[in-house]
Amino acid sequence: MTVSVSRNYRNERIQMECAFLSPAFLGGADQQAALSVAPLKAALRYWWRVSGIHQASNADELFDKESALFGNAEEGVGKSQLRVSIQSKSVEVKTDRLPSGGPPISHPEVNFRGNSTVNSIAYLGGMGILAPDGNPRKSYLNVSSRFQCSVAYPERLAGQIVPALGLFKEFGTVGSRSRNAFGSLDVNFKIASTRSVGVLTDWGDLFSQDYPHGLGKDNQGLLGWESSKTFDRWNVAFQALAEAYINLRTRANPIFAFPTGRHPH
């Protein structure tokens, strides 16, 4: 792992080494796979919101604070305080069929011509990027594609940026269906643990707004899901994720219905 944190004219620059752990569907206007700065900045914006470090009480305040940090096109706002750049990349663009994660999964809400099962990869990918049989509709960046990038920002904004970087390091994904783990990244750089940065908020209070704006907690700490086992292949991990999603979404009362005596972590 290469670590480089430099300071120049009261600016900080963090060098990151990144590798894709799952196929990434991201690209330009032609809808073909390509790596660019835009999705990386978008991911940092998202995790800055989720970190709750902004302490915004409503959408307008959040927009103003986000614009001051990341910039926008409105007159008088100005450009982003962050500078993200890609120094090198070694990416493999593919259109091949994605490997199966395992046997079809039973889904109680599916009945297509008598078939009540789903392909786990297609289920997580959805109709936009994958056909029902799992074949890609677009090209993608293959697993193990790598790149180096840097994030530079004024030293005075470290308290705002570091929490977002910490969350991006732990949970960073980019591209289409990134919320379903496509475009997952292994990000390496030296930074404080995610669980010590950001603002933890009682989970019930997070429903006060209809947009992501904080990290949930209960009386035992941070609320976050972690699998009970590890996986050596992304497609096998996707199989387990699809099964968990289907189980959660089709249970009679899925919201925070954790097993008795156990706590998600």
Side-chain angles (χ1 to χ4, degrees), residues 220 225 251 253-264:
Q220 296 184 51
W225 294 100
R251 286 162 63 180
N253 184 24
I255 303 300
F256 299 113
F258 303 134
T260 303
R262 298 186 62 189
H263 184 71

Side-chain angles (χ1 to χ4, degrees), residues 24-26 31-34 93-95 136-141:
F25 289 85
L26 74 168
Q31 298 296 303
Q32 298 306 307
V93 177
K94 299 192 73 173
T95 57
R137 299 181 187 274
K138 306 174 182 178
S139 58
Y140 57 89
L141 301 183

Side-chain angles (χ1 to χ4, degrees), residues 34 44 51 53 66 70 89 98 112 114 178 192 206 223 246 255:
L44 290 175
S51 74
I53 201 71
E66 181 176 321
F70 292 94
K89 56 185 176 182
L98 297 176
F112 181 70
S178 58
L206 293 176
L223 288 171
I246 292 170
I255 303 300

Side-chain angles (χ1 to χ4, degrees), residues 1 12 23 29 54 61 67 69 91 94 100 122-123 131 153 159 164 170 178 212 231 242-243 245 247 253:
M1 178 182 75
E12 293 191 357
H54 46 75
E61 184 181 357
S67 298
L69 184 59
V91 298
K94 299 192 73 173
S100 170
Y123 175 75
Y153 52 87
E170 296 294 330
S178 58
F231 306 91
E243 290 174 345
Y245 274 6
N247 180 53
N253 184 24

Side-chain angles (χ1 to χ4, degrees), residues 151-165:
V151 179
Y153 52 87
E155 182 182 1
R156 60 184 172 79
L157 295 178
Q160 291 281 313
I161 305 304
V162 167
L165 287 169

Side-chain angles (χ1 to χ4, degrees), residues 55-242:
Q55 295 286 280
S57 59
N58 56 61
D60 290 337
E61 184 181 357
L62 178 61
F63 177 78
D64 290 341
K65 289 185 174 183
E66 181 176 321
S67 298
L69 184 59
F70 292 94
N72 72 38
E74 290 187 359
E75 184 177 355
V77 174
K79 63 182 182 180
S80 173
Q81 304 257 9
L82 278 75
R83 296 189 305 278
V84 180
S85 59
I86 298 174
Q87 281 77 48
S88 65
K89 56 185 176 182
S90 175
V91 298
E92 181 184 18
V93 177
K94 299 192 73 173
T95 57
D96 298 350
R97 177 185 174 90
L98 297 176
S100 170
I105 303 173
S106 176
H107 195 310
E109 297 177 353
V110 170
N111 185 1
F112 181 70
R113 297 178 180 175
N115 182 10
S116 61
T117 63
V118 295
N119 175 302
S120 60
I121 307 300
Y123 175 75
L124 293 173
M127 299 300 291
I129 62 175
L130 299 176
D133 61 359
N135 276 318
R137 299 181 187 274
K138 306 174 182 178
S139 58
Y140 57 89
L141 301 183
N142 197 26
V143 175
S144 296
S145 292
R146 312 180 69 87
F147 63 96
Q148 291 183 331
C149 68
S150 65
V151 179
Y153 52 87
E155 182 182 1
R156 60 184 172 79
L157 295 178
Q160 291 281 313
I161 305 304
V162 167
L165 287 169
L167 290 168
F168 178 67
K169 181 179 188 296
E170 296 294 330
F171 307 114
T173 56
V174 292
S176 297
R177 302 299 186 272
S178 58
R179 303 291 175 85
N180 286 352
F182 282 94
S184 293
L185 287 168
D186 175 31
V187 180
N188 285 312
F189 63 97
K190 186 178 181 180
I191 200 167
S193 169
T194 299
R195 300 189 184 218
S196 66
V197 298
V199 177
L200 300 184
T201 305
D202 288 332
W203 66 266
D205 295 336
L206 293 176
F207 292 100
S208 63
Q209 306 292 345
D210 58 359
Y211 52 85
H213 63 283
L215 297 165
K217 70 171 183 177
D218 64 5
N219 57 5
Q220 296 184 51
L222 175 69
L223 288 171
W225 294 100
E226 183 176 358
S227 65
S228 59
K229 58 181 180 180
T230 58
F231 306 91
D232 59 0
R233 289 177 294 161
W234 71 268
N235 50 315
V236 178
F238 273 39
Q239 181 84 0
L241 179 60

